[in-house]
Amino acid sequence: MKKICLLLTALSLSLPILAQKDEIIKTGWNFGPLPVVGFDSDLGFQYGLCCDIFNYGDGTNYPQYDYKINVEASTYTKGSSVLRTYGDFKHLIPDGKLFFDVTYFNAPKFGFYGYNGYAQVYDPEKIVAAPGSVLADDAKTGYNFMSRNQFRALASIRKTITGNLSWAAGFAFYHIRTGSLKLKDYAGQTTLYDVYRSVNLIREDEKDGGNVTQLRAGLVYDTRDHDSDPTKGENIEMSLVYAPDLIDGRGYSNLGLHLSVCQYLPVFTPRLTFAYRALVQANLAGEIPYYFTNNINSMFFRKMYTEGLGGNASVRGLNRNGVLGEGFFMLNTELRWRIYDFKFINQNWQIATNPFFDMGTILQPFRIQDQKGSGLYTGDEMASHFSAGLGIKLVMNHNMIISFEGGKPFDQNDGTGLWTNIGFNYLF
């Protein structure tokens, strides 16, 4: 990481004659077809195709776009695959915008680390598992994996009340199927999912997944200068999320609160920005099924995955979905340094870096009394989880962002080795 940062610094100092101050003002439709080539420590190498489609109108609002549509089809070497389309339409609704997302995730190997973070016993050898269970006797273990498929459809609108304050409303539907790990490389192994089923921490009526319908309403305060690559301003979203049990009839209705505060503070120069996101999610009433404890209920997505805590959408560096709770708090901080600007193929480009520090903690433990009586409890459910790392960004026209990030958790129970991710966009 140090070598990469030094190389970028050298580029910014040695090639200034190639940079141009005046940006190309983009107008009309711009198409960005790309092969999807990525990597995620949790998912493996990613390959496929995607296309970003932008409309900048007459260019008056550049670098803000009028419309954006994205389509993607990709798969990962560890077995997961994604089919997705989303759109962000800023002028379809007068003084407002429309956002939609339709995605199908197939994950035959999906991380599961139990409930409430450090409250869960991490060492499989210390767990009293079901009779006849078999733990792997080598490094190829499926202990912390299960299978999960998810279909997600969401639509949200927001409309100005006054100035930078808007009301927002949305609808979301999730169809989720979960089960034991079925990959032949792990045949016969007992997993934590199996253990949780055996002690009823995963109940019989939810073990196969289910359907979740959400109605969302709230307020948004947004003073950012850009959506995708902001250098100043703030973006605050507060919403109530009601999930009535309309389809399954199992009693898993609930009312939740989502509050996200993002701020972008210039440091000495517009090319250096300190950015942070503080996010609180809480269950106010009702009961959440286990397969939905990892969902982050934002109305307007920045990342494909909207789950945590852990992975590339929340606390970077932690095991993906490594910390599950009924309510949680997380903090993401980073220093964004725009190192170098240049033009290529009639587009505006920028190289940037973003060292980061993240943390997350459980505010409302999930089924903690059941966990205490199961033999799977350590007593540390309220402990915080920390990570830090470095990112490198390649930005086109302030809106299409290719991202590389690497990080490490502070505690080995949250993950070992270097977590890395190659994908798109800033985290927030």
Side-chain angles (χ1 to χ4, degrees):
M1 285 296 181
K2 292 181 180 178
K3 291 181 180 178
I4 293 173
C5 189
L6 289 172
L7 175 61
L8 291 174
T9 304
L11 280 172
S12 69
L13 295 175
S14 61
L15 299 178
I17 59 173
L18 297 179
Q20 302 177 42
K21 293 182 179 180
D22 296 330
E23 286 196 271
I24 300 168
I25 302 300
K26 308 303 294 183
T27 61
W29 291 98
N30 280 249
F31 295 84
L34 286 173
V36 175
V37 180
F39 178 78
D40 189 291
S41 294
D42 299 307
L43 304 173
F45 286 96
Q46 181 188 23
Y47 55 93
L49 295 171
C50 77
C51 185
D52 271 328
I53 305 168
F54 295 95
N55 185 295
Y56 292 99
D58 61 5
T60 302
N61 298 319
Y62 178 83
Q64 299 278 11
Y65 53 81
D66 291 352
Y67 310 110
K68 176 183 179 180
I69 301 171
N70 172 277
V71 292
E72 177 177 331
S74 62
T75 189
Y76 293 85
T77 53
K78 292 185 180 181
S80 298
S81 57
V82 175
L83 294 172
R84 186 191 189 201
T85 182
Y86 74 89
D88 188 5
F89 305 100
K90 296 189 176 181
H91 297 286
L92 200 61
I93 300 172
D95 297 318
K97 82 169 187 172
L98 167 69
F99 175 86
F100 78 85
D101 177 285
V102 180
T103 306
Y104 175 71
F105 300 101
N106 173 42
K109 187 180 179 183
F110 186 78
F112 180 69
Y113 295 87
Y115 303 157
N116 305 313
Y118 296 140
Q120 168 61 43
V121 180
Y122 280 83
D123 186 354
E125 299 294 343
K126 295 179 180 178
I127 292 176
V128 180
S133 62
V134 177
L135 294 175
D137 57 5
D138 56 29
K140 197 171 184 63
T141 175
Y143 183 74
N144 284 118
F145 295 100
M146 56 183 286
S147 66
R148 192 201 72 167
N149 295 340
Q150 181 191 91
F151 171 78
R152 177 182 75 196
L154 173 143
S156 301
I157 62 172
R158 86 180 198 195
K159 189 170 177 60
T160 301
I161 298 173
T162 181
N164 298 306
L165 181 65
S166 304
W167 62 261
F171 168 86
F173 171 75
Y174 300 80
H175 175 71
I176 302 168
R177 304 302 298 172
T178 64
S180 297
L181 189 63
K182 297 180 178 65
L183 299 176
K184 63 180 181 179
D185 288 346
Y186 307 97
Q189 290 186 24
T190 295
T191 66
L192 185 60
Y193 170 85
D194 299 324
V195 175
Y196 266 50
R197 281 188 57 189
S198 72
V199 297
N200 207 39
L201 281 171
I202 294 176
R203 299 169 182 169
E204 184 66 22
D205 67 353
E206 62 181 351
K207 63 181 177 62
D208 298 323
N211 299 283
V212 177
T213 303
Q214 291 185 324
L215 304 174
R216 304 171 174 185
L219 298 171
V220 176
Y221 180 75
D222 190 355
T223 65
R224 294 172 297 169
D225 55 349
H226 309 308
D227 279 359
S228 303
D229 183 27
T231 63
K232 61 182 179 179
E234 51 267 329
N235 182 37
I236 302 171
E237 177 187 327
M238 181 177 68
S239 60
L240 291 174
V241 182
Y242 176 52
D245 187 7
L246 297 177
I247 300 174
D248 296 335
R250 301 171 185 166
Y252 294 115
S253 295
N254 54 81
L255 176 66
L257 171 70
H258 175 90
L259 174 62
S260 174
V261 178
C262 303
Q263 192 168 21
Y264 309 88
L265 303 170
V267 181
F268 304 123
T269 167
R271 301 187 68 85
L272 191 65
T273 300
F274 174 73
Y276 73 86
R277 176 179 69 171
L279 188 151
V280 173
Q281 192 160 293
N283 184 34
L284 302 180
E287 189 171 9
I288 303 171
Y290 95 93
Y291 49 80
F292 212 64
T293 54
N294 63 341
N295 198 68
I296 298 175
N297 295 320
S298 174
M299 282 201 236
F300 305 98
F301 298 165
R302 294 295 300 274
K303 287 283 191 178
M304 178 189 304
Y305 293 98
T306 58
E307 300 171 334
L309 300 173
N312 66 12
S314 55
V315 184
R316 294 161 287 188
L318 271 61
N319 292 318
R320 185 181 176 210
N321 300 310
V323 185
L324 301 181
E326 194 163 304
F328 58 84
F329 168 79
M330 69 177 176
L331 176 67
N332 309 109
T333 64
E334 54 187 49
L335 190 64
R336 300 178 181 178
W337 177 27
R338 296 155 190 84
I339 297 173
Y340 180 65
D341 299 332
F342 63 99
K343 293 181 176 63
F344 179 61
I345 57 172
N346 199 39
Q347 309 292 337
N348 304 298
W349 297 85
Q350 188 178 88
I351 296 173
T353 185
N354 60 304
F356 63 82
F357 170 81
D358 294 347
M359 67 84 65
T361 190
I362 297 296
L363 297 179
Q364 292 175 288
F366 181 70
R367 295 182 184 169
I368 192 65
Q369 295 304 320
D370 294 340
Q371 189 174 13
K372 289 178 180 179
S374 68
L376 306 175
Y377 179 68
T378 66
D380 294 331
E381 67 269 17
M382 305 302 288
S384 295
H385 303 251
F386 300 94
S387 67
L390 176 69
I392 297 171
K393 303 290 188 285
L394 180 63
V395 183
M396 185 183 80
N397 297 326
H398 298 280
N399 291 308
M400 193 179 80
I401 301 168
I402 300 172
S403 170
F404 170 84
E405 290 185 321
K408 287 273 291 182
F410 288 13
D411 191 301
Q412 65 178 359
N413 286 328
D414 286 323
T416 57
L418 177 68
W419 170 87
T420 56
N421 176 261
I422 301 173
F424 295 96
N425 298 324
Y426 279 102
L427 178 61
F428 59 92

